[in-house]
Amino acid sequence: ISPEALKAMEAAIKDTRYYIPFLIALHTGVRRGEVLGLTWDNIDFENNRMHIEKALQQQKGKGAVVVGTKTKSSLRDFKMTNVLIEELKKHKEIQNQQKEYYGDHYYKEYDFVCCNEDGSPISPLRFSNFFISLSKRLGYQHSFHDLRHTHATLLHEAGVNVKVIQERLGHSDIATTMNIYSHITKSLEEDAIDRLNKKFD
């Protein structure tokens, strides 16, 4: 997603319940279900880390259900950006006010980070449809999953090693990362040859 599109999307989504999931995906590269399945015990403000251990999945006839992560390698723990940490802290304060307001009517089965005002889970399907509609309204053709690809690209542009990108995204095999993000590996190769040329020059 281009910087211009990201800026437009963020401005349009800012005052909705979908802003925090948008921000988490952009800043961590986690999957849709992993974002919506996050609970506050997965957020470690003391060490600025996020722990991924479950996901919210849309199941036919059951609605949104909390399940285990996609694969063993999807279980992961990583550092968060300063921007995300600050936004999550603000979000937690607002959520605490909502808990007070709803009282006994607040959804208590899971302490979701991303949820509806009453604490109930956000429908993964509804969320995806909202994001696609928002993108189209702004003149783009993006899905929520594109934020995951964008995160990987931003990491690469920041000079992060592809092995670190693999672990952050929760791929079991580095070949998966390299196949999906072939544009990244080609760019890495160009960079490697440029460096090698400088050595020989």
Side-chain angles (χ1 to χ4, degrees):
I1 305 176
S2 70
E4 295 76 27
L6 278 175
K7 196 173 178 183
M9 284 178 189
E10 187 170 351
I13 211 169
K14 181 83 176 177
D15 296 320
T16 74
R17 60 187 162 171
Y18 300 131
Y19 173 63
I20 291 296
F22 167 86
L23 209 63
I24 291 171
L26 179 61
H27 283 251
T28 66
V30 298
R31 301 173 180 93
R32 180 192 67 177
E34 293 170 343
V35 173
L36 299 180
L38 272 176
T39 47
W40 283 109
D41 58 350
N42 297 141
I43 308 295
D44 177 3
F45 284 123
E46 196 176 326
N47 298 297
N48 299 336
R49 299 190 75 83
M50 180 179 285
H51 180 60
I52 302 297
E53 60 173 359
K54 57 188 176 297
L56 191 70
Q57 192 180 82
Q58 192 88 31
Q59 292 185 359
K60 199 173 181 180
K62 293 182 180 178
V65 178
V66 175
V67 296
T69 51
K70 194 177 175 184
T71 60
K72 193 179 176 183
S73 57
S74 295
L75 281 167
R76 57 206 191 277
D77 186 273
F78 47 75
K79 288 207 68 121
M80 296 183 286
T81 62
N82 293 336
V83 169
L84 182 57
I85 291 159
E86 289 312 307
E87 288 298 321
L88 283 174
K89 283 178 179 176
K90 288 181 205 169
H91 177 61
K92 197 167 192 335
E93 282 179 26
I94 292 166
Q95 211 176 79
N96 286 339
Q97 290 167 12
Q98 289 168 343
K99 281 180 185 176
E100 239 179 84
Y101 176 77
Y102 280 91
D104 292 339
H105 299 290
Y106 194 85
Y107 181 88
K108 294 182 177 71
E109 189 177 350
Y110 290 97
D111 193 14
F112 289 117
V113 173
C114 307
C115 56
N116 297 312
E117 199 176 281
D118 64 353
S120 59
I122 290 171
S123 159
L125 191 60
R126 196 173 295 153
F127 181 40
S128 287
N129 290 339
F130 169 85
F131 196 86
I132 290 166
S133 298
L134 174 78
S135 173
K136 282 181 182 173
R137 183 161 55 82
L138 296 170
Y140 303 105
Q141 295 289 325
H142 290 299
S143 68
F144 183 75
H145 198 73
D146 290 340
L147 290 169
R148 182 167 161 83
H149 297 308
T150 304
H151 179 74
T153 305
L154 291 172
L155 286 176
H156 164 62
E157 287 172 352
V160 177
N161 184 282
V162 72
K163 181 69 181 168
V164 176
I165 297 174
Q166 174 213 344
E167 289 171 358
R168 197 166 172 90
L169 295 178
H171 289 150
S172 53
D173 189 347
I174 198 166
T176 306
T177 314
M178 297 178 90
N179 286 337
I180 296 172
Y181 303 102
S182 56
H183 64 289
I184 288 179
T185 51
K186 281 175 187 170
S187 177
L188 282 169
E189 186 185 26
E190 289 293 330
D191 182 55
I193 290 299
D194 284 346
R195 288 170 189 252
L196 200 57
N197 282 333
K198 282 174 187 171
K199 287 284 183 190
F200 282 114
D201 288 346

